[in-house]
Structure formats: structure tokens, C-alpha cells
Amino acid sequence: MTISSPGRVETELGRTRRARRIGRALTEAHPDAHCELDHTTALELAVATILSAQCTDKKVNEVTPKLFARYPTAADYAGADRGELEEMIRPTGFYRNKTDSLIKLGQALTERYDGRVPGRLADLVTLPGIGRKTANVILGNAFDVPGITVDTHFQRLVQRWGLTIQTDPVKIEHEIGAMFPKREWTMLSHRIIFHGRRVCHARKPACGACTLTRLCPSYGLGPTEPAAAAKLLKGPRARDLAVAAGVDPELVPAQAAAAEAP
């Protein structure tokens, strides 16, 4: 497929080469990229991912320590008191629906998989509360099975970069996946999501403090002046991100490092 934009026509090969240059730039910019949902087991990751719908990872991580201690097994979720579980996860929002998903997930795992989270995509997507995106998160981070996680950040960025014109997450997953070696899929997802949360924001991307300026056809969507762009960087490595983009780190406000990545 050839993607055209004002003033430029890019072949499929050219697009793949540019995508890989973007991937290398993201590797350098975000060496700390990782799954931001705290977990120690596949079950904990599945639960945390369900709770993360319409909620920040930070809020989920505040709720899960007590939740995981109270419900350490699938059987515990299967037999949970609905009112108690609802109260524990209330801060994550949509707690009634999420409670229903967690109880049904526990029941399904207990009845069909001896209480264990399966390590195959085909099995995971049959479980309550687990769609393809959640399944890829679990596979990549709990089972070391490469997967691409097309969340809102991932979709927004690959479209901004002109790597795809698809809008269906599954089609995006397959198209972007074809551009990169399979072994890179999980970390690529983390790095793109990190970049979306810290630099390339939905409403106002920090274009003038981004390492991808020469590779991004959407450059200029946000402020290009370094002083204005630097103020938009977020996270504990905000000043490192500025340096990587050739911007004076002193332009990054102190509160930026403490700012929550959405």
C-alpha cells in the first residue's frame, strides 16, 4: 500500500524503513519503557489490565496491592463477595462492570483452565473481560510471547506518523506488526505508549522537544518552539527527553518530572 500526504508519496518499502528508524529512535529515547501496571503473576496482570479501562495505570497501581492480597487466586475472584469487591475497585471507575468481569474471569479460569491464565491468544480472548488488546498485554509481559498492544496512544501515534490509515485495531496490529521483527513487538508497544504519554500528547504534542521531528509528517501539530514544547514533556525523565531532542533541559519545568503520564 502506498500512503500519500500533501507534498509526499511514500512507498510501502519506504514506509517500513521509516517505521524502523522511528523504532530505533524510540529505543534511544525511552530506555526505561516497560509495562506500567504493577504485577507479579499472569493473573495479577489480567486483573490490572481489566481495571485499567478508562482509568490511569497510576490509579490502578494504588488499588491493586490490597486487591491482590485479598484475592490471590482465580478461585478467590470466582467466589468473591460482589459488594466487597466493588468497594475495593471503586476508585478505578466503572466498578460494577469491572466487578462482574473479574468474578466471571475467576469462574472461567477455575472451570476451564484449572485456575491458571492460559498462554495462548486463542484461549485468552474467550475469557470474560479480556479482548485482543488485553490478551496481547498478558502474552507479552507475563509469557514473553511477542504481541502488539493497540491502545489509544499506540493508534494515535502510528496514524500521526503516517504508518497506517487503518482505524480498526486488529488491522493496525497486523499492519504495524508486518513492519517489525516479531521479537520487537512487545517492547515496541511499550515505547510507543511511553512516547504517547510523555511527548506526543493527544491534544498538544511536544513537537519542538521530540526526537522524531525529521520522521514525523505531523510535525507542527503541537508547538515547535523549544521553550513551549519543553513545558509539555512529562514524567521523571522529562529533562532527559529534552536533551535527547537537543533542547535545553532547563526549559523543562520542575513539576514536569512529577506530572502523571496519562
Side-chain angles (χ1 to χ4, degrees), residues 218-239:
S218 298
Y219 176 72
L221 190 61
T224 58
E225 204 281 319
K231 294 178 181 178
L232 299 174
L233 297 175
K234 291 185 179 180
R237 293 189 62 255
R239 290 186 172 174

Side-chain angles (χ1 to χ4, degrees), residues 35 39 41-47 49-50 105 117-120 124 127 129-145 149:
C35 176
H39 66 282
T41 67
L43 176 62
E44 289 182 354
L45 181 56
V47 170
T49 307
I50 288 172
L105 173 64
V117 176
R120 295 196 321 144
L124 285 168
L127 295 170
I130 296 183
R132 191 178 180 94
K133 180 184 76 173
T134 299
N136 277 327
V137 171
I138 295 169
L139 289 173
N141 297 282
F143 294 99
D144 200 26
V145 175
T149 303

Side-chain angles (χ1 to χ4, degrees), residues 63-76:
V63 168
T64 50
K66 289 183 179 179
L67 183 71
F68 294 161
R70 178 68 179 86
Y71 305 102
T73 70
D76 292 318

Side-chain angles (χ1 to χ4, degrees):
M1 178 178 65
T2 299
I3 294 181
S4 300
S5 60
R8 63 195 296 269
V9 176
E10 187 173 48
T11 64
E12 185 172 353
L13 177 60
R15 184 164 49 97
T16 296
R17 288 175 172 171
R18 183 167 59 86
R20 293 192 177 187
R21 288 198 294 273
I22 288 173
R24 290 192 291 271
L26 292 175
T27 299
E28 294 179 3
H30 304 288
D32 57 330
H34 62 279
C35 176
E36 295 189 270
L37 291 169
D38 295 339
H39 66 282
T40 58
T41 67
L43 176 62
E44 289 182 354
L45 181 56
V47 170
T49 307
I50 288 172
L51 295 181
S52 69
Q54 303 298 312
C55 181
T56 65
D57 289 354
K58 179 179 179 181
K59 178 58 66 176
V60 172
N61 291 337
E62 291 172 359
V63 168
T64 50
K66 289 183 179 179
L67 183 71
F68 294 161
R70 178 68 179 86
Y71 305 102
T73 70
D76 292 318
Y77 286 102
D81 176 81
R82 181 175 294 273
E84 179 184 14
L85 183 52
E86 284 183 356
E87 194 58 33
M88 291 190 76
I89 68 172
R90 181 187 291 265
T92 68
F94 302 96
Y95 60 92
R96 291 191 178 91
N97 289 340
K98 291 178 182 179
T99 293
D100 193 55
S101 292
L102 293 181
I103 291 175
K104 289 181 178 178
L105 173 64
Q107 292 170 344
L109 291 175
T110 302
E111 295 168 2
R112 291 155 46 193
Y113 298 102
D114 196 29
R116 296 185 177 90
V117 176
R120 295 196 321 144
L121 180 66
D123 295 326
L124 285 168
V125 295
T126 69
L127 295 170
I130 296 183
R132 191 178 180 94
K133 180 184 76 173
T134 299
N136 277 327
V137 171
I138 295 169
L139 289 173
N141 297 282
F143 294 99
D144 200 26
V145 175
I148 287 181
T149 303
V150 184
D151 73 348
T152 55
H153 299 289
F154 189 103
Q155 180 168 340
R156 180 178 77 251
L157 267 61
V158 295
Q159 289 172 340
R160 277 183 177 172
W161 295 333
L163 300 183
T164 182
I165 58 174
Q166 302 293 342
T167 57
D168 178 75
V170 176
K171 291 181 179 179
I172 292 173
E173 176 189 336
H174 292 318
E175 187 165 0
I176 301 302
M179 300 178 189
F180 294 88
K182 188 173 183 179
R183 65 180 181 275
E184 297 180 9
W185 288 356
T186 299
M187 285 308 302
L188 174 70
S189 299
H190 289 322
R191 291 169 186 141
I192 290 177
I193 292 169
F194 255 56
H195 198 72
R197 288 174 166 172
R198 290 155 176 77
V199 182
C200 193
H201 311 296
R203 294 185 179 179
K204 189 183 289 187
C207 291
C210 178
T211 58
L212 304 180
T213 55
R214 295 182 179 179
L215 299 169
C216 179
S218 298
Y219 176 72
L221 190 61
T224 58
E225 204 281 319
K231 294 178 181 178
L232 299 174
L233 297 175
K234 291 185 179 180
R237 293 189 62 255
R239 290 186 172 174
D240 292 332
L241 292 172
V243 171
V247 173
D248 183 355
E250 294 302 317
L251 294 174
V252 179
Q255 63 267 30
E260 180 181 344

